Amino acid sequence: MSENSPLLLNGKAVADNVSPPRNNGGGGIIVTTPSLNESPHTPTIDTGSDRHRRSSVVAIAAAEAILQDRKKGRTQHAQQEYESFYRIPSLTSIGSLEADVAAKERLEDERSKTKQKISSDECHSVPGIIQQISSQIPAVIIAAGLNFMVGIPFGASYFPTELQLQGKEVLGFRMFLFSTMIAQLVITFASKFDNGIGLQMVENVPFCLELARIVMSEQSDESGTTSTLFFLFGVSSVLVGLVFYLLGRLEMGRIVYFFPSHVLVGCIGGIGVFITITAIEVATNTTFSFTPQGFNDSIVSQFNLLLPVFAFEIFLRLMMHATKGKYSLLPPVFYCLITPVFYFSLYALGVDIDNAEDAGYFFPPIKSTESAFSWSLLDIFTEIHFWNISWKAVFKAIPTMMSLTAFSLIHVPINIPAFAISTNTEPDMNAELIAHGYSNFISGMFGGLQNYMTYSNGVIYSKSNGRGKCSSLAIVALTGFIFIYGPLLCVYVPRCMAGTLLLHVGIDLFIEGIVESYHDYDSLEYSGIILITITMTLAGMDAALVAGFIAALSTYAVQSITYQHPIKGAMCAATLRSSAWNRSGEAQKILLDKKKGRERILVIQCQGHIFFGNSTILKESVLELLVEKRRSGDDPIVVILDFTHVLAIDSSSAMTIEKLKDSIIKSFGVEVVIFVCGHEDGFRCHYDLSLKVNGGAANKREGSSKRLLDPIDIGEEDPIMFETCKAPIHPNTSRAQARASVTARALDVSNSHSGYKNAVMADIPNSHVCETLDDALIFAEDVLVAVQDAMILQNDVDDRFRSNILEGSGMAVKCSKTQQSSLEEIARAFLTSLCTGANANEIDKIYRLLEPEMYYYNDIVWAQGEESKSLKLIVDGSLLSLLEDEDGARESCYPGSIVGELGLLNGTRRLTTLKVVSDKAVLYSLSQEQWELLACEDPKVARFIDVIAIRYLSHRIQHVSNHNLFGKRSLPV
């Protein structure tokens, strides 16, 4: 670019108000750029040819000037000046719209950066720091207050009421706060969110109770029980942390979405019941059980303690219903008001606080001799004594810990995306999983509980304008203060507050799992939800895990049978075309015949998972289709069973499919059954189904010594190219790599016409396995042609896969007269076959316009994207057409084919690259000049080329690879 180019903007020229250079040839008016030191004036827009570019120059120059000023430290004046400075010229030309848009985008970016810089400068000032701190104080207090409020009820619920442990409520409260502090500290530095809130994973309370009861069943002494229990708490947290970390590090975060939804919903419902029961136990300080005695001890005899809990919960529900969920802060504010309202009620009713405490309305007080800084402060870290651990209880608790780990995984993929949407943040699931791994591992190493980044508290904190590392660390500090002094305050909190919070959470989870899911799942899935909930309530977490596994398997099995039939559809192959579209006229006539051709091929396409539950349905459906064909008089000669869309086949189903082949052949007289496995490695099953349905002597008919269409009939010297290979096959490559379905040869047919069809059918295998539906259709077409006239198939295959007639001629470019004569005869024969209805003179006229060309192995005939200047008739050799932008997209081109006709007729560029894959290739080329000459002089003869192009396009449209066989919108036109 020259020095005077208007797009070269150096900082000095702009800063000194040097306008862009003139357009020497346009005579337009100059566009000047105002300096920051001058008042802006309205620029005059060039009405010449450069106005589109000059409008962008103004914008770029303005942005560059701001950058220069920022570098010189003048950001304090930028806020005042850029409002008057950033003025985009109003262009009347529509053609300059794109330049305006681009300029505005750049200016908005600069404006945003300038505001951020100014905001940053303000934050570093003393008033800015004070303002920032004061704005964060309410959010920090709310977050820490929620930790205190939630910690009281859940801290009292980690241990069963029947566990005789002194000060267990205080111990549980500090366990909750410690895990919460670790989570908040790790989220501060490891999470991508700047306003995340960590919390102990309160949903795991039922697992904690289950672990405690397992330990209590093996140990009775307090020291041993607490040692084993805290060890299990720590090990569980470490396991959860390791799983989170590995999922994030291996970028396997999506694996958590593979849990069946209805199983998780059933667990949520069961946990809701668990927490509701815990609310009753915490409020009454009793142990509840589903027995008459349990109802009497926990509910009937203690109804006076439950009455305020029920009253507060009903009032809260009524308020939420009246406000229709508009106020997210209503529940936490309500919980905070429970304590003062309860004290006011005691005062109004004249009840003494000591009497209320004796009646069980408050948690037991801490011993008066203890202070906030007594050794009990560290109890949660000193409870584990390895010599007291019951390893039998640890082994017995392994299934529960596995269930806890699996259930813990569901929170992150739910909370993180939801919180990201609420805060308009782009989440990084793997980074968040790693952060959760750190927090749970650290907590577990100290014997702590599991934790996560909570959604509800996080949204409240975010809406309170809380964000940043300093605020997050302040929450950790304030929670630490509550960790020390909180137990002294807990004794003044009534049990009904803890019971109300637990009851509300339990009912919410139960509604989510049981009530709201009723319309979202079918009857079978909902039955599984009910089963899991009831099992978890009555038999515990381990039994619920087994029930969930059974529910998932049974749901999958029944839905696979009910909602997805193993057969996608069935149709005859009359409208389908294979890749063998350059067959001879005689072969085409046979295939188009209604009684002998493609209409006698029945294609049955299977889908989904074929297993023991639906394999019988598959067999019966196929046989019913054949019965219907027999009734209508359309018995198929060949049946193609396409398993391309089948995901997996179990062994019992594979055996059923093997028996199905015998039933089709013996009961319905089908000559050949072709199986399409859809994969290079065969069928997707452990059972060797490919060998069973295509194995050796089992597929020979009685009295047959060999098989027609067998791949072993191809000699090593045949230079046939196969497009299914990963790379072009050199002619000397072994034929063992070749596709069996295109090696059809009519061999050794008796000269006697008596019993001809029987003789041919005796040499055709009664079943065959192909990789693709295209292979199967080619094989089926070859069978139909061979049954009618084996010599037609022989000649047809010889034309398609002709051996190189120049073999032995070396690398000479010129051919002998004999070879040239042979090439001429072949070219004329191909033209006669392609130009249906043309007489000898018309064929001769086309032939005289063609120019022979010689190519060698790996030569590029044309490259993708080149101009189309000719079409080619392949007379000898093999070529490969491939798409350069797509892996594996290729098609082989054989003698007798015309290539490049679409580009010549339509004027489009080459859509693919054409490459020679045989030793030599002889092509006859029709140039664009000769084609235009022919179209002008003899349109009737030129019409034959048009017809060939139309026929080729028709074949491609109807090709099986482009055909949605059973789609309602893929009908042939």
Side-chain angles (χ1 to χ4, degrees), residues 696-842:
N699 289 343
K700 289 186 179 180
R701 302 172 193 271
E702 296 182 2
S704 173
S705 60
K706 60 186 302 300
R707 294 188 296 174
L708 194 69
L709 317 179
D710 199 318
I712 62 173
D713 294 329
I714 295 299
E716 293 291 332
E717 70 280 359
D718 285 358
I720 304 173
M721 299 298 105
F722 296 95
E723 64 267 23
T724 55
C725 300
K726 294 297 182 183
I729 300 178
H730 194 271
N732 295 328
T733 303
S734 171
R735 294 301 99 213
Q737 303 178 28
R739 185 178 66 191
S741 58
V742 294
T743 60
R745 309 294 273 258
L747 301 171
D748 302 332
V749 180
S750 174
N751 291 329
S752 172
H753 292 282
S754 59
Y756 167 76
K757 285 189 178 181
N758 292 334
V760 172
M761 292 310 302
D763 285 336
I764 296 178
N766 57 25
S767 65
H768 190 67
V769 177
C770 298
E771 180 183 334
T772 66
L773 184 55
D774 184 32
D775 299 345
L777 191 55
I778 293 175
F779 191 91
E781 291 173 349
D782 288 343
V783 169
L784 296 178
V785 175
V787 168
Q788 299 304 319
D789 192 334
M791 294 309 301
I792 292 178
L793 180 61
Q794 175 71 62
N795 296 333
D796 186 56
V797 173
D798 282 344
D799 287 341
R800 278 188 288 143
F801 310 117
R802 182 177 304 278
S803 298
N804 198 315
I805 65 170
L806 300 179
E807 188 70 31
S809 64
M811 299 300 291
V813 176
K814 295 184 179 180
C815 303
S816 66
K817 291 183 178 181
T818 303
Q819 293 168 340
Q820 289 178 348
S821 176
S822 178
L823 288 172
E824 180 179 343
E825 292 175 2
I826 295 171
R828 289 180 180 273
F830 284 150
L831 288 174
T832 303
S833 177
L834 291 168
C835 303
T836 307
N839 56 42
N841 292 333
E842 292 168 336

Side-chain angles (χ1 to χ4, degrees), residues 864-893:
Q864 183 175 325
E866 288 184 359
E867 292 186 15
S868 301
K869 297 181 179 179
S870 64
L871 63 79
K872 314 285 186 184
L873 170 65
I874 304 176
V875 176
D876 188 64
S878 299
L879 288 79
L880 191 69
S881 176
L882 54 97
L883 282 173
E884 295 181 352
D885 297 334
E886 296 189 24
D887 183 29
R890 59 187 66 207
E891 178 184 330
S892 293
C893 305

Side-chain angles (χ1 to χ4, degrees), residues 148-163:
F148 173 74
M149 184 174 58
V150 176
I152 293 174
F154 283 102
S157 62
Y158 293 130
F159 306 101
T161 54
E162 62 267 27
L163 176 62

Side-chain angles (χ1 to χ4, degrees), residues 159-174:
F159 306 101
T161 54
E162 62 267 27
L163 176 62
Q164 300 301 319
L165 179 62
Q166 184 67 29
K168 58 185 178 183
E169 291 85 359
V170 174
L171 198 62
F173 179 71
R174 282 177 170 156

